[in-house]
Amino acid sequence: MNPTEAPQNKKDVIIVGTGIAGSLIAKLLTDHVFDKQTRKMIHRSDSGDPDTYRELSILMYEAGLEAGLELDSASSMTTYNEYIRKFYKEEAKVPNSPYPDLRQAPSPNVLDMQPITPPFPDKKGYLVQFGPIPFASDAIRVGGGTTLHWLGTTPRMLPNDFRLKEKYGRAMDWPIDYDSLKPYYEMAEFEIGVSGNVAAQEYPIKESMEDYYGKDYVFPMEEIPQSYMDQQIIRGLAGTSVQLNFENIPLTLVPSPQGRNSTPNPAYGKSKLIKAASSESGYILSLADIDHEGYKALGAVWNPYQGERCEGNASCVPICPVQAKYNALKTLKKALYKVNKNENLQRNPHIQVQAQSVVYKLSVDQENQDRISKVHLRRYFTQEKTDFAEEVIDTSDSIVILAANAFENPKILLNSKYTAVEDGQKVEKTVANSSDQVGRNLMDHMVMLTWGLFPDPVYSYRGPGSTTNISSFRDGNFRSEFSAWISPLDNWGWAWPAFSPGSDLSEFLSEGLFGEELKEALAYRLSRQVLFHFEIEQLPNPNNRVTINDQYLDVLGIPRPVVNYELTEYEMRAMEQAKLASDQMFARLGIKDFTRYKATDNNTFIYNNVRYSYNGAGHIVGTHRMGHDKTDSVTDSYCKAWDHPNLYIVGAGNMTTLGTSNPTLTLAAFTIRSVESVLKDLETILK
């Protein structure tokens, strides 16, 4: 199909993706306007007569369906209820199970992953997996992105996570440190609405909690209660330690900060807004109180009074039935609807969101090859058919922001080729890739599970997926030899590793149990099931990467992500050590170990003559990392491409290293920080 120049008014900003990164940027930009008198960007709460300022014009693209972006109350509720009904009907309750499975915008799915038989790739799903082992995590391409099915756990990274090279001689240091990111963590915790207890946090770091969080800092909402199972395990492990690498490591169990609604914390004070102030270097964002408004939990997109409190539905992954858990649609709605002078929500006419639009490449200006001049996309019309319209959008006077996930961002960039002339010679180049780092350093947390039966009933399968974590192994001198990890205690029994309770029922039926005997057997086992969860840090490895190949296209003729992925001894030894830690904790708690790793598992290996298996955490990071200069990275610390002054690339792919925390809070923090640079660039454009 021949490309057509889509009719459009000039857009100041083009954002690709409506997940948390794209939605945060859209929300923060639409909160600001250009003051015609001062020629500066100001927060709209500080603006006066509309004639004195200019609104930003923003266009967002979403690969998923139009229905997922209809945020008016009736349509939004209808769509979300369809997600819930689909979840109920699916036999396998995997993360993607509630959401549309689109041929035009396919998603990686854990059900598609299987062992790879070299030299042939595994092509069963969306990813083309060359391995040698399959990449084990999924993502979803819908409005709101993968925050629809994330667990919602929101710990911050630790100071040493930003300086692995300096402290332990491993990987590469970030171009920013923890202290630089701390105020943006506070902004992210406000926007997500984090529940937790700062006073109960304890980490293996030299900094005090007062230095780490800040004096008198509290989370916006009080902690989600720890489960009965957690309390029994905490009681059994209190005051004990495990021995690893000839070192005794004290066991510390802390309530996990979470992006789900609980009771607003009175000590948090007023509700807040994130606003920019101009400075000599550009703009600085900060949190400001709204004097007349107390902090309150943000409920469902369709009804602010539903989902104001977590109801303990236990289906956080893959879907919260009432939207008590944060998802990026809540932030996106704040961009699309603004409070008018009558204190009512009114649709913001200056931002447009175009769904069913798959961006697949960028073009550079032929005269000024530093600038991105066009965005190319294929817009499909229905879920059933694969016909599409080709659209080309002029971006020569716009800022372009790629805010898709860590598979899609590099896929777009690697598909964006151009010819430059250097020293009189034609040179083939790829957008934003002078460092040759686009697509490289793909990382995930390897999730090693151990499971067993507690001596007494602990009543798992209740409440959010996890409310407590063991923080003892998040940092330490051992990181020079093997990975750090965090250990959430899972409230899901053996559902993940053994498909309980269905597998238990099947086993007991095969043994001839029926009636009261069957009920007693199920009650005994299910009430005692315990699952320990070791999320093991993976270091950046340039050979773990996303590439593209014209042999592997989707139904729209767009290259699929081709993945090469392996583990190193650094990570494998960490799994060995984590299993040793699990054995010691199980013994101390009197847990009968039922853990079995099999040769038929998708992700399995032998290390020191012992088999280990793992799963993916859904923490897909590192394919367009930020760094100190253009030789070692794709972007600077503000997520701005080194090679192109009007291109930003945001999301978990910017992470230089992974650390031991779930990445969503950290990517939200540095995405918020990136808006300072975007505002500065907009000031220049609008002048």
Side-chain angles (χ1 to χ4, degrees), residues 29 32 41 276 283 285 675-683:
L29 291 182
H32 291 81
M41 303 298 302
Y283 292 90
L285 292 173
V675 171
E676 295 177 348
S677 180
V678 177
L679 289 172
K680 183 179 179 180
D681 288 348
L682 281 169
E683 178 188 311

Side-chain angles (χ1 to χ4, degrees), residues 396-558:
S396 53
D397 294 320
S398 306
I399 292 174
V400 177
I401 301 174
L402 293 186
N405 63 41
F407 288 132
E408 299 305 313
N409 278 347
K411 190 187 81 172
I412 294 168
L413 294 171
L414 291 170
N415 200 40
S416 305
K417 301 184 184 301
Y418 65 101
T419 302
V421 177
E422 295 181 353
D423 299 325
Q425 301 292 320
K426 289 185 177 180
V427 180
E428 296 298 319
K429 291 191 170 186
T430 306
V431 164
N433 200 23
S434 62
S435 63
D436 190 32
Q437 293 302 307
V438 170
R440 294 189 185 273
N441 307 301
L442 174 66
M443 293 173 277
D444 191 10
H445 283 122
M446 285 77 65
V447 178
M448 190 186 78
L449 303 173
T450 60
W451 58 100
L453 286 181
F454 207 79
D456 303 305
V458 289
Y459 307 110
S460 49
Y461 299 96
R462 301 190 302 178
S466 179
T467 47
T468 298
N469 71 83
I470 304 172
S471 63
S472 310
F473 312 100
R474 294 190 62 191
D475 195 24
N477 292 329
F478 61 83
R479 293 179 88 175
S480 62
E481 300 181 44
F482 57 85
S483 301
W485 66 80
I486 192 170
S487 290
L489 303 181
D490 281 359
N491 294 322
W492 290 326
W494 298 355
W496 195 353
F499 307 105
S500 292
S503 59
D504 304 293
L505 177 61
S506 177
E507 176 187 338
F508 294 144
L509 287 174
S510 68
E511 293 173 359
L513 299 185
F514 189 73
E516 288 299 321
E517 285 186 317
L518 176 61
K519 291 196 320 188
E520 289 175 6
L522 286 171
Y524 182 90
R525 179 178 289 183
L526 297 177
S527 67
R528 289 166 169 78
Q529 288 183 354
V530 170
L531 179 66
F532 279 26
H533 176 155
F534 300 83
E535 291 189 5
I536 293 166
E537 177 184 26
Q538 185 170 33
L539 292 186
N541 176 350
N543 295 322
N544 287 346
R545 62 187 304 194
V546 175
T547 60
I548 58 173
N549 187 317
D550 287 342
Q551 294 182 54
Y552 309 108
L553 306 178
D554 65 21
V555 297
L556 298 185
I558 299 171

Side-chain angles (χ1 to χ4, degrees), residues 9 17 19 115 122 173 196 295 333 338 355 420 450 457 493 510 560 586 643 668 683:
N9 296 321
D122 169 24
D173 292 341
Y295 181 85
K333 187 164 185 176
K338 299 299 182 186
T450 60
S510 68
R560 294 158 57 189
F586 273 26
D643 298 349
E683 178 188 311

